[in-house]
Amino acid sequence: MRKGQIAVIGAGKWGQALHFALSSKQECFISSRTKRDIKNFVDLDFALSCEYLVIAIPAQEIRTWLKENFVFKNQKILVASKGIEASSGEFLNNIYADFVPDENIGFISGPSFAAEVIKALPCALVLNSKSKELYDEFSKFFPDFIKTYYSKDIIGAEIAGAYKNVLAIASGICEGLNLGKNAQASLIARGLVEMQRFGKHFGAKKATFLGLSGAGDLFLTANSTMSRNYRVGLGLAQGKSLELILEELKEVAEGVKTATAIEKLSNKYTIYTPIAKEVKLILDGKNPKDSLKDLIKN
Ligand SMILES: NC(=O)c1ccc[n+]([C@@H]2O[C@H](COP(=O)([O-])OP(=O)(O)OC[C@H]3O[C@@H](n4cnc5c(N)ncnc54)[C@H](O)[C@@H]3O)[C@@H](O)[C@H]2O)c1
Ligand SMILES: O=P(O)(O)OC[C@H](O)CO
């Protein structure tokens, strides 16, 4: 094992931004399934032999990626993805649990557009782990422009980070339909209540939804065209097909698949999730204006 060394796996927008940030205090490696012209780019075997790993591949790909590539050799891992597996409705921490013990894993949450992190603009992140030791070790790698906080509420952080993507789609729809700022603020506020209610069912803490991981990331993502999920919503409101929107986006918008996962889990456990349900229906072809009427009525 490469003791003390750190590598990011996944060289998309977030992986590259984290690689930039984590390179500010020491050498940080990066790996991806396709070779990239990035400083310190290494092959996957090299990356996997580092003691510290930050995994930034999309949520829907994680199970397969772990099965095909990962062998646990006591590495310490930070998960940077934000989503819920759509095919199973499984949370990422449960998927990772088959491969990595609790004390070796943490999850990043909080408001963090890659495009700003890669410019070294200040931000605050939460590193969520059962192990404070793991937090202490990883937080030392972060640059001065990122303030890190510790939390043990993994499920809360995970749900907040995934759910806000679905709400960002809803907010983009609201903007695209020109419904006004009152409507948008109402939607975001009710969305926060909705994701907290959903989280409560799975044991998440209320405080997580009121802090960086919940309100912080929701307010960011649901208010800006910098968000891919928000832009999906804008496109839907403009009458574009989901297929075309995703083709134009060329990057992952986790809210699309996470809406399916939330629908599955809400149906299974009878959790009231009206906004996420309408987003799912719109993604499946419902007219957004009809959704709005139904949302106000119910
Ligand atoms: N971009 C941001 O601002 C941001 C911030 C915080 C969290 N996130 C989260 O980070 C995750 C990644 O987002 P991103 O912005 O880097 O997306 P992206 O679309 O820019 O890149 C995704 C990367 O994952 C790689 N990938 C896809 N399938 C893979 C597979 N099967 N095996 C290995 N690699 C695979 C792609 O090659 C690509 O490099 C998402 O869950 C996203 O929600 C993104
Ligand atoms: O561009 P989005 O919508 O994937 O959001 C990116 C980050 O999750 C913001 O914290």
Side-chain angles (χ1 to χ4, degrees):
M1 174 185 285
R2 292 170 201 276
K3 277 294 243 188
Q5 301 204 305
I6 185 163
V8 175
I9 296 175
K13 281 277 156 56
W14 191 215
Q16 291 196 44
L18 285 166
H19 172 247
F20 164 78
L22 296 167
S23 296
S24 92
K25 288 191 178 159
Q26 72 291 304
E27 195 170 41
C28 175
F29 300 101
I30 184 162
S31 185
S32 181
R33 57 184 174 169
T34 44
K35 188 159 172 23
R36 306 279 179 104
D37 186 19
I38 308 171
K39 194 181 167 209
N40 282 330
F41 189 93
V42 292
D43 62 37
L44 188 59
D45 285 345
F46 183 107
L48 287 171
S49 68
C50 291
E51 183 179 4
Y52 298 92
L53 302 178
V54 179
I55 303 183
I57 63 175
Q60 309 306 324
E61 311 292 338
I62 281 169
R63 190 190 292 274
T64 309
W65 183 85
L66 285 166
K67 273 190 196 156
E68 289 176 356
N69 300 289
F70 188 74
V71 180
F72 180 64
K73 293 181 186 151
N74 211 25
Q75 301 99 322
K76 286 150 193 165
I77 290 169
L78 261 190
V79 177
S81 328
K82 291 176 182 170
I84 307 172
E85 190 178 67
S87 56
S88 62
E90 196 80 81
F91 296 116
L92 299 187
N93 76 82
N94 289 333
I95 297 174
Y96 273 98
D98 289 341
F99 298 85
V100 187
D102 276 2
E103 62 276 15
N104 281 59
I105 196 162
F107 294 79
I108 307 179
S109 61
S112 45
F113 281 140
E116 294 189 357
V117 170
I118 208 151
K119 289 187 202 152
L121 293 171
C123 78
L125 295 175
V126 189
L127 309 186
N128 307 272
S129 175
K130 294 282 174 241
S131 163
K132 173 70 165 51
E133 220 169 71
L134 184 117
Y135 166 80
D136 289 336
E137 289 176 40
F138 267 110
S139 65
K140 287 195 192 105
F141 288 109
F142 279 82
D144 295 340
F145 68 86
I146 298 182
K147 184 166 173 62
T148 60
Y149 289 83
Y150 173 60
S151 168
K152 281 189 174 173
D153 187 13
I154 292 170
I155 189 65
E158 226 194 285
I159 288 174
Y163 215 115
K164 65 87 192 172
N165 286 330
V166 178
L167 299 172
I169 296 177
S171 186
I173 294 170
C174 191
E175 172 78 31
L177 292 179
N178 291 314
L179 299 179
K181 292 296 171 194
N182 293 341
Q184 200 168 20
S186 306
L187 180 82
I188 294 170
R190 290 308 302 167
L192 183 57
V193 172
E194 180 174 314
M195 73 179 188
Q196 191 236 314
R197 180 169 52 234
F198 182 85
K200 191 178 171 196
H201 181 88
F202 298 97
K205 292 196 164 54
K206 188 174 183 180
T208 302
F209 293 92
L210 299 179
L212 290 167
S213 309
D217 208 1
L218 174 63
F219 295 166
L220 177 84
T221 319
N223 269 310
S224 170
T225 52
M226 283 174 76
S227 156
R228 286 89 49 102
N229 289 289
Y230 188 89
R231 295 205 299 272
V232 168
L234 277 177
L236 290 167
Q238 287 159 2
K240 287 186 185 174
S241 72
L242 181 60
E243 208 179 9
L244 176 64
I245 295 168
L246 296 180
E247 199 182 303
E248 288 175 351
L249 197 61
K250 293 188 176 64
E251 290 172 26
V252 68
E254 294 276 20
V256 173
K257 294 277 181 176
T258 295
T260 299
I262 292 173
E263 189 201 39
K264 250 182 205 152
L265 292 168
S266 318
N267 288 343
K268 185 171 176 187
Y269 298 110
T270 327
I271 312 169
Y272 182 53
T273 55
I275 301 173
K277 281 214 164 129
E278 288 303 328
V279 170
K280 168 74 177 124
L281 289 169
I282 294 170
L283 289 167
D284 289 345
K286 183 172 177 180
N287 184 319
K289 287 184 185 150
D290 293 338
S291 259
L292 176 75
K293 282 186 210 139
D294 292 342
L295 209 49
I296 290 175
K297 228 170 36 200
N298 296 321

